[in-house]
Amino acid sequence: MKLERLNELLKKLVQMEDAEENLEMVPLYEEALELSKEIYGEHNLKTLEIYNNYGGHLRNLGLYEKAEYILRKAVVCAKIVRGKEHPDYATTLVNLANLLRMMKQWQESESLFYQALALYKITIGEEHFIYAGTMNNLGLLYYEMGNLERAKECLEHSLHILEGKEEYIIPYATTLHNLVDIYKKEGEIFKAEQTLKQEIEIYRQQHYEGTVLYAAALNSLGILYCEKEQYEKAKAVMTESVEITKKHLGEASDAYKTSVKNLEMIHEKLQEKKMQKNHEILQETLKGMTSAACASESNLNCEKGSEERNHTIDKDAEKGFVKGLDLCREYFNQVCYPLLEREFSNFLPRMAAGLIGEGSECYGFDDEISRDHDFGPSFQIYIPQEDMPIYGERLKQRLNTLPKTFQGFGARIESQYGDGRVGVFSIEDFYRKFIAAEGVPETLSHWRQIPENALSTVTNGEVFFDHYGKFTKIREELQKGYPEDIRLKKIAARLMKMAQSGQYNFPRCNKRKEYVASRLALSEFMSVSMSLVYLLNHSYRPYYKWVHRGLLSLPVLGKAAYDKMQRLSVLSLEKDYKEMEWIIEEFCVDCVKELKKQGLTSSSEAFLLLQGPEVLKRIKEPALRNSNPWVE
């Protein structure tokens, strides 16, 4: 029974690999490995095979720590079942060495490569294809270490082994491809170009036109032409590369998306070149006109005109203020997303990204003053909690290497309590931080306990993309506002407090000339009144310093409330208290009209203390309906 299950798993893994269902293969490999240990033992050829395949799969997924654990187990297994003088042992060393190369553990990686090469030398010989492949990998290691001289030696050594062997002609061509970047870094552009052309010619001779390898070579040649500013040539070869890649890998593949972006860049360069040429023609034309104009005026007038033009440019620059959310969106799209496509493509379907939460830029309220803290090119990425141990830490580390500046804007300056607002979050942790729930609250009791500004915080800002959908699904449910019973309960409490603070205590305190108490009563009235307007709009009141400004985005009483609160805040308690009392009463009347419009009361009574119980009657949940109207 166990053997049947193992064979079934191994067959399924092959099918899933063909279908590129990469992440889903991990638990199947785990089960297959455990079954193999039970059936054959931990040190067996079948178990060794699974160790190597599983470790390589984890490496390709970027799960380096887990891959290292598995491949080190594989090395021990190979040593026992094959012995230290068998080429299979060397192959297992190479698998681990390649992983360590990717993990930048270069010293140990180098040592393992040389151990493997020494073993291959005495078992299969230095002319074997596998020996050449290992030498090629060692060359890549030296390239990543920045040792271009050693990298070139290794790759050219590999090339020498493969040269002239018809059966190895394609690996020979791909090794040529690996040398191109080295030649470019050494400044040997002509040699790089000739090497690429040689690679392409081999593919043509072997009838490999239309293959992915051929497309990759064309792509590299297109980039080289672009760097040489030979944009028409670049456009021709890159267009062919895009068509081949689309046919074989599809529009969803990273290779296709990368080649399309390269082609778009070439089109932009061509357009820029055309515009530059037109600009030069225009400048030559204007040069004669300007000379004639300046000759007819004094130097003073010419200088004055120049000063006026400069002043106009400065004013236009001020008008072109870039909002933080726009900056972060562009930074993510231009700098981060391409990286995710290149290095985390397997996980993109399980990611979302955006800028949401604390900070004026998340509401679009940022200005020059707010840029002194917690501002700069940044973003958030949200992934499922279960994915965090798989690639979360590697994602965080990789994002830390991104440039901190963007389009002339400096790095984000975090305030003492502003850290942790951007970066990588699990979906569950992000929502739990603000609303003490991993998703939409399930009970009315939970809804009542969440601070209103916390709900505003998780529903502001913008989601840049959400391939997984879970983050947005929760967000969209929260954006609908409170459950109706909770909304009505809060509206009732707001009405009671508006009556108490604004309609009752404010005029009494004024008559006594108790201006401190009067100001406190006014502050309470303004606070609960603005909160009421958000509730009437099925929205959430934000953090206190943005409550007033946020009113302008609300269709129901938003503008009226904004104007009245602004007026109340600037009038004098000693001189203008009568006007202030009139504004309060007028706003309370406006609120009653809206309550009736929404069907929340049948009374026209302007004293809001009588409206609270009216609203409570509309609540369906008995306990809430019969509760104290003063308590929200």
Side-chain angles (χ1 to χ4, degrees):
M1 190 70 178
K2 290 183 178 180
L3 182 58
E4 291 178 4
R5 175 58 179 166
L6 176 59
N7 291 331
E8 178 188 339
L9 284 171
L10 295 177
K11 182 179 179 181
K12 178 67 174 174
L13 284 166
V14 172
Q15 295 171 348
M16 294 175 75
E17 185 172 358
D18 292 339
E20 297 187 354
E21 298 173 1
N22 296 314
L23 192 60
E24 294 82 354
M25 292 168 67
V26 173
L28 272 64
Y29 263 123
E30 284 286 341
E31 185 181 351
L33 183 59
E34 292 305 313
L35 282 173
S36 183
K37 289 178 184 178
E38 290 182 32
I39 298 168
Y40 300 111
E42 185 169 356
H43 303 131
N44 179 274
L45 286 176
K46 177 58 71 175
T47 306
L48 175 61
E49 179 186 352
I50 296 173
Y51 267 134
N52 273 317
N53 291 340
Y54 185 24
H57 182 72
L58 290 169
R59 180 188 63 212
N60 293 338
L61 286 177
L63 307 177
Y64 293 152
E65 292 183 4
K66 179 67 174 176
E68 182 181 3
Y69 172 79
I70 293 296
L71 288 176
R72 290 194 185 278
K73 286 278 189 180
V75 170
V76 173
C77 184
K79 181 178 178 181
I80 294 173
V81 301
R82 282 302 196 187
K84 294 181 66 175
E85 297 181 356
H86 197 282
D88 284 356
Y89 177 68
T91 300
T92 308
L93 291 178
V94 170
N95 288 340
L96 178 58
N98 274 321
L99 169 68
L100 296 175
R101 171 173 65 84
M102 295 177 181
M103 298 174 71
K104 301 190 184 307
Q105 296 181 25
W106 291 326
Q107 187 173 357
E108 185 179 2
S109 176
E110 181 184 22
S111 175
L112 291 173
F113 274 131
Y114 276 112
Q115 288 181 52
L117 286 168
L119 184 51
Y120 283 143
K121 184 175 181 179
I122 62 176
T123 54
I124 61 177
E126 295 180 72
E127 298 302 312
H128 198 282
F129 166 71
I130 293 177
Y131 188 93
T134 305
M135 188 62 71
N136 181 79
N137 288 332
L138 181 60
L140 295 176
L141 169 67
Y142 283 129
Y143 178 81
E144 292 171 10
M145 292 171 66
N147 192 336
L148 298 184
E149 184 177 350
R150 292 296 303 276
K152 186 162 71 170
E153 287 176 3
C154 291
L155 290 170
E156 289 181 342
H157 187 169
S158 176
L159 208 61
H160 177 73
I161 296 170
L162 299 170
E163 192 171 14
K165 296 180 174 66
E166 190 63 30
E167 67 273 25
Y168 297 151
I169 190 64
I170 299 303
Y172 178 83
T174 58
T175 306
L176 285 174
H177 193 91
N178 291 336
L179 278 162
V180 170
D181 281 340
I182 294 177
Y183 294 149
K184 287 171 66 175
K185 282 184 177 291
E186 290 180 335
E188 299 185 54
I189 304 301
F190 177 77
K191 192 171 184 178
E193 182 178 346
Q194 293 306 115
T195 302
L196 275 173
K197 289 180 177 179
Q198 183 185 357
E199 177 190 4
I200 291 169
E201 183 58 30
I202 290 172
Y203 293 143
R204 287 172 178 164
Q205 291 173 358
Q206 298 298 314
H207 305 293
Y208 261 63
E209 302 106 315
T211 65
V212 174
L213 290 174
Y214 182 72
L218 291 176
N219 183 77
S220 295
L221 185 59
I223 292 172
L224 190 144
Y225 281 147
C226 189
E227 290 169 349
K228 293 172 66 177
E229 298 186 8
Q230 297 175 350
Y231 300 126
E232 291 294 345
K233 285 185 176 181
K235 178 183 175 183
V237 295
M238 194 65 76
T239 300
E240 187 179 358
S241 174
V242 168
E243 292 171 355
I244 295 169
T245 308
K246 179 180 179 180
K247 178 181 177 182
H248 288 277
L249 298 180
E251 295 183 21
S253 68
D254 289 342
Y256 174 76
K257 292 175 182 176
T258 300
S259 59
V260 166
K261 287 182 179 178
N262 288 337
L263 182 57
E264 289 173 350
M265 175 189 68
I266 292 168
H267 280 298
E268 289 174 4
K269 293 292 184 182
L270 278 168
Q271 187 65 23
E272 287 175 10
K273 190 174 183 180
K274 182 179 179 181
M275 291 174 66
Q276 179 64 28
K277 186 176 181 180
N278 292 339
H279 178 71
E280 289 171 359
I281 294 171
L282 180 61
Q283 287 297 107
E284 286 297 319
T285 305
L286 291 175
K287 186 176 180 182
M289 295 172 62
T290 304
S291 298
C294 284
S296 64
E297 298 179 12
S298 68
N299 290 334
L300 180 62
N301 286 337
C302 286
E303 290 172 4
K304 181 180 178 182
S306 176
E307 290 175 359
E308 289 175 350
R309 285 193 296 274
N310 289 336
H311 183 63
T312 302
I313 290 170
D314 290 339
K315 288 178 70 176
D316 289 342
E318 290 174 5
K319 293 176 183 177
F321 180 81
V322 177
K323 286 289 188 179
L325 187 58
D326 295 331
L327 172 68
C328 293
R329 185 194 311 108
E330 286 302 304
Y331 176 65
F332 175 81
N333 289 337
Q334 294 184 34
V335 178
C336 180
Y337 195 80
L339 179 143
L340 297 179
E341 287 185 312
R342 289 194 310 270
E343 301 183 23
F344 296 87
S345 58
N346 292 328
F347 308 114
L348 263 178
R350 297 176 66 81
M351 290 187 192
L355 188 68
I356 296 161
E358 300 156 298
S360 56
E361 70 274 16
C362 296
Y363 287 97
F365 297 159
D366 52 312
D367 53 23
E368 289 289 354
I369 297 174
S370 64
R371 286 185 172 182
D372 63 340
H373 68 287
D374 303 323
F375 175 85
S378 53
F379 51 83
Q380 300 154 341
I381 292 181
Y382 324 99
I383 65 176
Q385 180 72 56
E386 65 201 61
D387 288 11
M388 192 60 77
I390 300 175
Y391 59 91
E393 287 304 314
R394 184 168 70 92
L395 180 59
K396 291 177 184 179
Q397 292 171 9
R398 189 64 183 89
L399 295 183
N400 282 337
T401 67
L402 290 176
K404 301 296 186 290
T405 60
F406 179 68
Q407 292 185 351
F409 290 90
R412 177 181 172 89
I413 303 173
E414 292 186 338
S415 61
Q416 182 179 359
Y417 302 107
D419 59 330
R421 293 185 179 182
V422 295
V424 180
F425 304 87
S426 76
I427 297 170
E428 295 82 353
D429 282 347
F430 182 85
Y431 284 110
R432 190 186 300 114
K433 174 184 176 182
F434 296 103
I435 63 174
E438 295 181 358
V440 181
E442 297 179 354
T443 65
L444 295 181
S445 175
H446 192 161
W447 274 104
R448 292 185 71 185
Q449 295 173 30
I450 302 172
E452 199 168 349
N453 65 286
L455 287 161
S456 175
T457 299
V458 295
T459 54
N460 67 14
E462 179 180 331
V463 176
F464 301 154
F465 83 96
D466 188 355
H467 293 330
Y468 192 49
K470 180 178 179 181
F471 185 90
T472 300
K473 184 177 180 181
I474 296 170
R475 175 178 165 86
E476 288 177 347
E477 283 299 312
L478 292 173
Q479 285 177 329
K480 293 177 181 177
Y482 285 108
E484 186 62 2
D485 277 0
I486 298 297
R487 186 177 82 104
L488 297 181
K489 186 73 178 78
K490 288 180 175 292
I491 287 175
R494 300 291 184 274
L495 295 169
M496 303 297 283
K497 291 178 181 178
M498 286 170 68
Q500 180 192 51
S501 58
Q503 292 178 295
Y504 184 77
N505 281 326
F506 179 75
R508 290 169 68 86
C509 292
N510 280 333
K511 287 179 181 178
R512 298 190 180 105
K513 296 186 179 181
E514 294 177 355
Y515 295 126
V516 173
S518 180
R519 182 65 70 182
L520 290 173
L522 178 64
S523 177
E524 174 74 359
F525 172 79
M526 292 172 65
S527 177
V528 293
S529 295
M530 290 186 288
S531 177
L532 174 68
V533 174
Y534 282 88
L535 289 167
L536 292 174
N537 281 273
H538 296 268
S539 187
Y540 307 112
R541 177 186 60 195
Y543 187 53
Y544 73 89
K545 68 176 180 178
W546 299 316
V547 172
H548 181 244
R549 186 168 178 180
L551 290 172
L552 291 174
S553 65
L554 302 177
V556 176
L557 289 179
K559 183 63 167 61
Y562 180 91
D563 292 339
K564 285 180 169 58
M565 301 305 139
Q566 180 72 20
R567 183 63 178 161
L568 284 173
S569 67
V570 298
L571 291 174
S572 167
L573 288 173
E574 291 184 78
K575 299 177 182 178
D576 306 314
Y577 67 90
K578 284 296 182 182
E579 181 183 350
M580 297 171 82
E581 291 175 11
W582 175 81
I583 290 173
I584 289 172
E585 288 300 325
E586 183 182 57
F587 184 70
C588 290
V589 170
D590 290 341
C591 290
V592 172
K593 290 178 180 178
E594 183 58 32
L595 291 173
K596 295 183 72 174
K597 187 176 179 180
Q598 293 191 21
L600 304 184
T601 182
S602 56
S603 171
S604 299
E605 176 58 55
F607 187 46
L608 299 185
L609 202 67
L610 303 178
Q611 293 292 354
E614 279 290 314
V615 174
L616 280 183
K617 294 177 183 178
R618 273 73 178 173
I619 296 176
K620 295 179 180 179
E621 208 281 325
L624 279 180
R625 186 174 62 245
N626 297 319
S627 63
N628 188 335
W630 291 92
V631 181
E632 63 175 87

